[in-house]
């Protein structure tokens, strides 16, 4: 193991941050599984499941400008801890409701909105917090290691949540509350900022500063918008149930493996990047990884072999992780600390929109053209966007170093 990787492992503030990320990501994944299953048990209405996701996403749009300003004005450590405490209380409310049998459809919608609101403030805050607790030389490794926490939770936590739910909703909500409480305690051990970076009250000018900053930096705007359009067109997650049942002729277990495969590839790649970070030709490697994402999307759409499809999705997840780590490290390092919260809020909205709208786009094109053509066209669209962005943002494509 390299000296820098060893230094990162010995960096106590980062270890506390990483463990907090594992706890919050696992808690959210378990909570999402339990809430969805609980809602379906109550109403037996598939449309309600879609509304739960929409309600969780809505605060990200409503509070986008304010979340970034809060992250830049107040102690990020305390903001993150407050958000995690709020999510802990949401889990406690579900514990009390499940134990008394008083959980209702309306209650779940309200709690889903509150959960989405807490996460809307937590996400840009924690993203902007990471550069404050690790040296610049270790930051690319820290981004990769932090991403590994999310991917590990994506693989393991949903299965654990489903297993615990078999014993009753109460048995999912209790450990979820504990995980959020642990995360809050860990975040409060991080070094605090002595004074706010953004002074004064929130104004329209200060709230819009993040958007103006991104627009004034072509490389940052190119990196963020590349992810938006590439994932928007290339995402095929929403169609996995159709592939599992009708094309690959497998059952629910096969669908579970297909869903986990991209996260497995991303997790393995994050481990590799944490030890061997990309230090040169970052622009070309980022565009190459997005291109591989598009090619593997096409290959998945054309595949009729379950095991080949599984392998392709692992490669897809690994390629997406390379792009995400480069983009995340580059945007944070190129953004002044006093702007990181607001820039992260805009970036978070782009990522959320690409995922949510990507699922809608996949469903719509599948309805129009069929499932296989929809995925193949999405992969082709990703390749077209990649080529176009290399022409539109030549300095980004030719960029050698992150910072």
């Amino acid at each position: 193991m390299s000296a820098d990787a060893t230094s990162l492992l010995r960096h106590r503030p980062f270890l506390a941050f990483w463990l907090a990320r594992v706890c919050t990501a696992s808690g959210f994944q378990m909570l999402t599984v339990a809430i969805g299953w609980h809602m379906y048990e109550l109403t037996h209405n598939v449309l309600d499941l879609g509304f739960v996701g929409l309600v969780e996403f809505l605060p990200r749009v409503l509070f986008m400008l304010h979340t970034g300003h809060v992250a830049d004005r107040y102690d990020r450590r305390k903001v993150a801890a407050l958000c995690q405490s709020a999510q802990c209380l949401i889990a406690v409310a579900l514990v009390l409701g499940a134990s008394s049998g008083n959980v209702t459809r309306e209650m779940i919608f309200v709690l889903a909105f509150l959960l989405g609101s807490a996460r809307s403030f937590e996400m840009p805050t924690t993203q902007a917090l990471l550069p404050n607790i690790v040296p610049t030389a270790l930051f690319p490794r820290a981004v990769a290691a932090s991403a590994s926490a999310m991917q590990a939770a994506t693989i393991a936590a949903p299965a654990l949540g489903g297993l615990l739910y078999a014993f009753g909703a109460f048995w999912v909500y209790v450990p979820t509350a504990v995980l959020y409480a642990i995360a809050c305690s860990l975040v409060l051990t991080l070094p605090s900022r002595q004074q706010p970076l953004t002074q004064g009250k929130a104004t329209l000018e200060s709230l819009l500063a993040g958007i103006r900053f991104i627009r004034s930096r072509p490389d940052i705007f190119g990196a963020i918008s590349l992810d938006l359009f590439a994932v928007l067109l290339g995402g095929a997650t929403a169609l996995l149930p159709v592939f599992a049942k009708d094309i690959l002729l497998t059952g629910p277990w096969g669908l579970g493996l297909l869903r986990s495969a991209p996260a497995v590839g991303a997790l393995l790649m994050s481990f590799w990047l944490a030890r061997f970070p990309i230090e040169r030709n970052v622009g070309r490697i980022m565009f190459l990884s997005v291109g591989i994402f598009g090619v593997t999307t096409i290959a998945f759409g054309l595949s009729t072999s379950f095991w080949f499809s599984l392998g392709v999705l692992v490669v897809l997840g690994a390629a997406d992780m390379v792009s995400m780590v480069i983009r995340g490290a580059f945007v944070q390092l190129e953004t002044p600390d006093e702007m990181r919260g607001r820039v992260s809020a805009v970036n978070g909205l782009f990522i959320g929109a690409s995922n949510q709208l990507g699922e809608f786009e996949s469903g719509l094109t599948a309805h129009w053209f069929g499932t296989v053509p929809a995925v193949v066209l999405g992969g082709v669209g990703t390749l077209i966007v990649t080529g176009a962005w290399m022409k539109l943002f030549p300095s980004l494509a030719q960029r050698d170093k992150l910072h």
Side-chain angles (χ1 to χ4, degrees):
M1 184 174 292
S2 66
D4 283 345
T6 303
S7 299
L8 183 61
L9 291 174
R10 293 177 178 175
H11 198 273
R12 296 187 67 178
F14 175 75
L15 287 178
F17 177 87
W18 188 86
L19 289 172
R21 291 275 285 176
V22 170
C23 290
T24 54
S26 299
F28 176 71
Q29 292 289 341
M30 293 171 64
L31 200 58
T32 300
V33 168
I35 286 177
W37 196 274
H38 207 150
M39 174 65 87
Y40 193 68
E41 280 189 333
L42 288 173
T43 68
H44 298 285
N45 187 343
V46 178
L47 189 60
D48 281 339
L49 299 179
F51 281 136
V52 169
L54 180 63
V55 168
E56 286 182 6
F57 177 72
L58 187 60
R60 189 174 295 183
V61 178
L62 294 177
F63 305 135
M64 178 194 72
L65 298 176
H66 298 281
T67 57
H69 185 84
V70 167
D72 285 336
R73 183 178 183 188
Y74 301 104
D75 188 335
R76 291 165 182 161
R77 177 183 64 105
K78 293 182 179 178
V79 173
L82 182 62
C83 293
Q84 290 152 4
S85 299
Q87 292 170 85
C88 177
L89 291 176
I90 291 169
V92 169
L94 287 166
V95 169
L96 297 176
S99 60
S100 62
N102 290 327
V103 176
T104 64
R105 174 177 179 270
E106 290 72 22
M107 176 183 176
I108 289 179
F109 281 137
V110 171
L111 292 179
F113 181 83
L114 295 176
L115 179 64
S117 299
R119 283 178 55 80
S120 294
F121 283 89
E122 180 192 17
M123 291 176 67
T125 302
T126 53
Q127 288 179 5
L129 180 62
L130 182 57
N132 299 143
I133 63 176
V134 295
T136 301
L138 295 178
F139 187 66
R141 284 185 167 89
V143 172
S146 178
S148 72
M150 299 293 295
Q151 299 303 326
T154 301
I155 295 170
L160 179 60
L163 178 64
L164 292 174
Y165 199 96
F167 299 98
F170 175 87
W171 296 102
V172 184
Y173 298 137
V174 169
T176 299
V178 173
L179 286 171
Y180 280 122
I182 293 173
C184 178
S185 301
L186 289 169
V187 166
L188 290 175
T189 67
L190 299 177
S192 61
R193 194 169 63 201
Q194 297 300 316
Q195 61 182 11
L197 296 172
T198 300
Q199 304 287 343
K201 296 181 179 180
T203 63
L204 182 60
E205 183 175 350
S206 68
L207 294 174
L208 294 174
I211 296 176
R212 287 199 301 270
F213 177 83
I214 292 173
R215 289 287 302 274
S216 68
R217 302 296 194 279
D219 284 3
I220 293 179
F221 179 67
I224 292 177
S225 58
L226 173 66
D227 174 73
L228 170 64
F229 289 104
V231 176
L232 176 65
L233 295 174
T237 304
L239 301 179
L240 286 181
V242 182
F243 275 91
K245 183 178 180 182
D246 298 333
I247 297 174
L248 302 177
L249 305 178
T250 184
W253 66 274
L255 174 59
L257 290 176
L258 291 172
R259 281 192 168 275
S260 297
V264 170
L267 180 62
L268 294 174
M269 181 56 71
S270 67
F271 287 153
W272 176 267
L273 294 177
R275 184 174 181 181
F276 304 105
I278 299 170
E279 298 177 346
R280 303 298 299 269
N281 297 316
V282 295
R284 292 179 182 178
I285 293 174
M286 183 182 70
F287 278 103
L288 176 62
S289 65
V290 177
I292 292 173
F293 181 89
V295 170
T296 50
T297 299
I298 295 172
F300 175 77
L302 296 175
S303 172
T304 56
S305 166
F306 172 74
W307 295 109
F308 179 78
S309 297
L310 206 62
V312 163
L313 289 177
V314 171
V315 177
L316 180 147
D320 189 42
M321 175 56 65
V322 173
S323 170
M324 187 184 77
V325 168
I326 293 177
R327 185 180 64 254
F330 161 67
V331 171
Q332 292 293 337
L333 289 174
E334 287 294 303
T335 304
D337 195 35
E338 66 271 13
M339 291 291 301
R340 282 183 177 136
R342 282 164 285 180
V343 171
S344 295
V346 178
N347 190 25
L349 178 64
F350 274 43
I351 294 172
S354 65
N355 291 328
Q356 299 288 334
L357 295 179
E359 292 187 2
F360 175 74
E361 179 271 339
S362 296
L364 190 63
T365 53
H367 177 72
W368 286 344
F369 306 115
T371 302
V372 171
V375 174
V376 172
L377 287 173
V380 172
T382 297
L383 293 177
I384 293 173
V385 167
T386 302
W389 257 238
M390 292 180 72
K391 296 292 185 182
L392 291 172
F393 303 95
S395 62
L396 177 61
Q398 298 166 10
R399 190 177 186 91
D400 184 42
K401 296 183 179 181
L402 288 170
H403 185 57

